[in-house]
Amino acid sequence: MKTLFVSCRVTGLDRSPGFHTASGYAEPDRAEAGDGARLVLLRFAGEPAASLELVHRPGDGPVDAGSGFDHLASQVEKLATTLQTPTGAGPGPGPLQHPGSPDGPKTSWLTDPDGYRIELVQWPCGHPGGITAADFA
């Protein structure tokens, strides 16, 4: 098995897709899901499939990000460049951090218009794409 994508419910589709596309996603498709619900599927350039789905169900009311979902992590090639790109909604990115060591990954945090936390990660050269057990050694 493998994880196909993450789906987040959003309060509306007026701000959230723009926030995520400013953060590096491309919007390949929108779809009606019945009962007034709409979906926006987002993928990164060069990826064949969507990795993030935004779901808007008007009848469910505003989104409460709650305490169960912690954050979404997205890999970026050049974090310093990404941090200079305005998201257009919500507070700007947090400061550049070096968790673990100065030679480890670089990270920064954003919060999307619905309160979901997003961690931007730039791996050091030669690091496999994604987190591994070696990252906790």
Side-chain angles (χ1 to χ4, degrees), residues 47-107:
E47 288 188 354
S51 56
L52 179 62
E53 175 185 69
L54 305 178
V55 179
H56 175 56
R57 290 188 185 97
D60 290 352
V63 169
D64 176 5
S67 63
F69 180 86
D70 192 75
H71 70 281
L72 172 68
S74 295
Q75 180 177 331
V76 299
E77 293 300 317
K78 296 186 181 196
L79 186 55
T81 302
T82 302
L83 296 179
Q84 294 174 1
T85 305
T87 59
L96 180 70
Q97 300 174 348
H98 295 272
S101 78
D103 298 326
K106 297 174 185 172
T107 65

Side-chain angles (χ1 to χ4, degrees), residues 1-50:
M1 281 198 266
K2 72 176 189 172
T3 301
L4 297 177
F5 59 86
V6 173
S7 180
C8 295
R9 196 168 74 79
V10 297
T11 301
L13 294 178
D14 51 341
R15 296 184 313 158
S16 291
F19 172 88
H20 290 284
T21 55
S23 298
Y25 281 97
E27 183 181 322
D29 204 6
R30 288 183 179 236
E32 298 294 322
D35 293 333
R38 294 179 294 152
L39 310 174
V40 173
L41 303 167
L42 301 165
R43 64 173 172 77
F44 286 112
E47 288 188 354

